[in-house]
Amino acid sequence: MRALGVLDGLLQSQRGDLFPWVPVLFGVGVGLFFSLRVEPGLAHYLWGAGIACAALAMLWRGDRQDTVVFLGWILLLVALGFAAAGMRAHAVGAPVLQYRSYGAVEGRVIAIDRSARDRLRITLDQPFLDRISPDQTPARVRLSLPDGAAVPRIGDRVMTTAHLMPPQGPVEPHGFDFRRHAWFQQLGAVGYTRVPVLIVSHGPRDLPVEQLRQRLSTGIRSQMPVATGGFASAITTGDRSAIPQAALEALRASNLAHLLAISGLHMGLLAGVVFGGLRLLLALAPAVAQRVDTKKLAAVGALLAASAYLLLSGMQVASTRAYIMVAMMLGAVLLDRRALSLRAVALAAMVILLLRPESLLSPGFQMSFAATTALIVIFGGLRDRLTPSSPRWLRMAAGVVLSSLIAGLATAPFGAAHFNMISHYGLLANVLAVPVMGALVVLSCSSGALPRASGGIVDWPCADGSGDQLDPVCCQLGCRS
């Protein structure tokens, strides 16, 4: 009874702010599924169904006892998380190669990236493997190409001879489990080839987004030096295949690798530039500005631009989370409400866990949400303690330093756990690099500096830190989220 009293006290203290616990409890269920040593059987799912039924009974009968209702929600969300992870694991199930093999491989190119050894890799779907029956052929195969090999185009059907093997498990206890990662990518075989890849046919335009990404990446790299072009294509389309390995190692050592991930920095600045530019253009047309709410029209345009950027970026965890939060803030503009809160973070986490429960175990998910949550909590607590009378340049400098410090401290434990390293100069590197990176992203999005209108016409907070609809902390979230 005493424990129930303590729980009831905690529940009453957080009344109105309980939604952020929804993805946490759902994630507990997902984590329970992946913590099992063997594949869950029918008995596990029956237990989960029983717990869900008990939780529904508690919700049905606990209308007058908040603690009982709370316990019911806990059990129900944990059971739903466990079930969602199981459904996802079975939905993506595909054959896996059971032994090493060597022979002809043919398939359609659907992705191009680069391995940790700086080798170009291609991922094939619709594969044909020599001496492998169709019912045992993996859904996807990934091959490393020899140095100097010609890069095929997305959609091309290619063939070669390759050494293949099943995806391997972790190399150390509790280490990265590539076999589990490959399962959810439907990657049933990996290997390498030492001979050229022959193009059988140029595929039709049935992969429009991926083909557009490759054309943009190729066009960007053709106009820039190797290292610069690789970085530019990474932050534009998410294609990191052209970044030299030395540059990647330098970014990781300095804790600047997050700049390559299309996340809050890129999504927020793109939406901000489009929002501000559209408001300015609409304000220059008095016939329009006097009859419609230009702010809401600009918000719709910025939302469309952010949606296109999400598709172009490959819809990774960080970019999806950033898009959901930007969409909520633009939706708040349309509804004249404030949206930057832990609820926005919780909603983004819930959407990602529903679509891809396996992302809970990835460093991208953990570090992205750790940094964003820490920034919102800390800046939310400091909101009433800020001194608007201080010089603007001082407030901006303090915001950059503080946001880099908070995000660095929040992500450091996850970086140490996943990568066995902690950056000693991460704060200094981010303080120096993030403002420059932000300026470059803005310039690349706007093809030049956008003038700012007076009188509050352009008041997007990420542009000048003084928006009247959204909290100024949005700018800081964009810089390091």
Side-chain angles (χ1 to χ4, degrees):
M1 296 299 294
R2 184 176 180 180
L4 290 178
V6 173
L7 181 61
D8 185 66
L10 292 174
L11 174 65
Q12 296 298 333
S13 65
Q14 297 193 34
R15 181 167 296 280
D17 296 314
L18 292 175
F19 181 73
W21 286 101
V22 172
V24 174
L25 298 172
F26 191 87
V28 169
V30 174
L32 286 176
F33 176 86
F34 289 112
S35 65
L36 297 177
R37 293 181 177 271
V38 296
E39 178 68 20
L42 179 61
H44 294 89
Y45 291 106
L46 290 177
W47 271 102
I51 293 175
C53 291
L56 290 174
M58 296 173 71
L59 295 176
W60 179 265
R61 298 175 60 87
D63 54 344
R64 292 184 298 273
Q65 300 182 28
D66 291 336
T67 305
V68 174
V69 173
F70 187 57
L71 288 174
W73 278 114
I74 291 177
L75 295 176
L76 181 61
L77 289 170
V78 171
L80 289 177
F82 186 92
M87 291 176 60
R88 170 70 173 167
H90 287 84
V92 300
V96 177
L97 194 66
Q98 298 300 314
Y99 49 84
R100 292 175 177 264
S101 69
Y102 173 77
V105 178
E106 181 181 332
R108 182 182 63 166
V109 179
I110 60 172
I112 301 173
D113 64 346
R114 194 168 289 275
S115 69
R117 296 183 179 180
D118 207 20
R119 298 280 298 274
L120 197 66
R121 299 186 302 194
I122 57 174
T123 301
L124 309 176
D125 73 345
Q126 304 173 2
F128 168 80
L129 305 182
D130 192 20
R131 298 188 298 274
I132 303 294
S133 62
D135 61 328
Q136 295 181 351
T137 300
R140 295 181 179 180
V141 175
R142 192 171 70 190
L143 300 176
S144 295
L145 305 184
D147 294 335
V151 181
R153 294 184 299 182
I154 298 293
D156 287 351
R157 190 160 188 87
V158 301
M159 66 178 301
T160 185
T161 55
H163 298 264
L164 295 178
M165 67 184 70
Q168 301 300 301
V171 298
E172 60 181 359
H174 307 292
F176 173 67
D177 192 344
F178 175 70
R179 183 165 47 195
R180 179 179 59 208
H181 174 77
W183 175 266
F184 288 98
Q185 301 293 322
Q186 293 187 313
L187 196 62
V190 295
Y192 62 93
T193 178
R194 292 195 176 102
V195 299
V197 173
L198 304 179
I199 297 177
V200 177
S201 63
H202 295 292
R205 297 183 179 275
D206 53 352
L207 297 170
V209 175
E210 295 298 328
Q211 290 169 339
L212 175 61
R213 292 179 64 199
Q214 187 181 33
R215 289 199 300 271
L216 287 175
S217 297
T218 303
I220 290 172
R221 293 197 297 267
S222 66
Q223 302 297 321
M224 296 182 177
V226 176
T228 306
F231 189 88
S233 64
I235 65 174
T236 304
T237 65
D239 178 12
R240 307 184 189 181
S241 61
I243 300 179
Q245 192 67 20
L248 280 175
E249 292 299 329
L251 288 171
R252 290 169 182 154
S254 59
N255 198 26
L256 293 176
H258 65 89
L259 296 178
L260 295 175
I262 297 178
S263 57
L265 172 65
H266 315 77
M267 195 72 69
L269 288 175
L270 171 68
V273 169
V274 174
F275 180 88
L278 288 177
R279 286 204 71 188
L280 180 59
L281 292 176
L282 293 172
L284 295 177
V288 177
Q290 293 175 2
R291 289 176 174 81
V292 299
D293 190 338
T294 58
K295 177 181 288 186
K296 295 184 178 180
L297 286 179
V300 173
L303 182 59
L304 293 176
S307 301
Y309 192 32
L310 176 66
L311 292 176
L312 196 63
S313 68
M315 300 183 66
Q316 300 300 318
V317 171
S319 55
T320 303
R321 189 266 308 157
Y323 170 78
I324 294 173
M325 297 193 66
V326 166
M328 289 194 64
M329 287 188 284
L330 293 172
V333 174
L334 295 175
L335 300 175
D336 298 319
R337 299 187 63 180
R338 184 185 300 273
L340 190 63
S341 66
L342 284 178
R343 293 186 179 184
V345 183
L347 179 61
M350 196 64 196
V351 171
I352 294 175
L353 288 176
L354 283 171
L355 296 177
R356 291 181 286 184
E358 71 277 8
S359 62
L360 176 71
L361 306 179
S362 67
F365 180 94
Q366 296 172 9
M367 299 178 76
S368 177
F369 281 98
T372 306
T373 302
L375 286 167
I376 287 182
V377 170
I378 299 298
F379 276 99
L382 295 177
R383 181 182 301 143
D384 299 330
R385 297 177 175 83
L386 297 177
T387 57
S389 59
S390 59
R392 179 182 173 186
W393 66 268
L394 182 59
R395 285 186 280 121
M396 294 178 63
V400 171
V401 173
L402 186 58
S403 62
S404 297
L405 177 62
I406 294 171
L409 292 176
T411 58
F414 300 98
H418 288 284
F419 309 117
N420 297 319
M421 62 177 296
I422 294 179
S423 175
H424 300 287
Y425 303 101
L427 176 60
L428 178 60
N430 278 280
V431 169
L432 296 176
V434 166
V436 177
M437 180 68 178
L440 291 176
V441 172
V442 170
L443 290 176
S444 65
C445 293
S446 61
S447 299
L450 285 173
R452 293 174 183 167
S454 59
I457 294 178
V458 180
D459 56 8
W460 181 262
C462 288
D464 60 8
S466 59
D468 61 356
Q469 285 293 328
L470 306 178
D471 198 276
V473 70
C474 169
C475 182
Q476 307 305 331
L477 285 174
C479 291
R480 273 288 293 165
S481 58

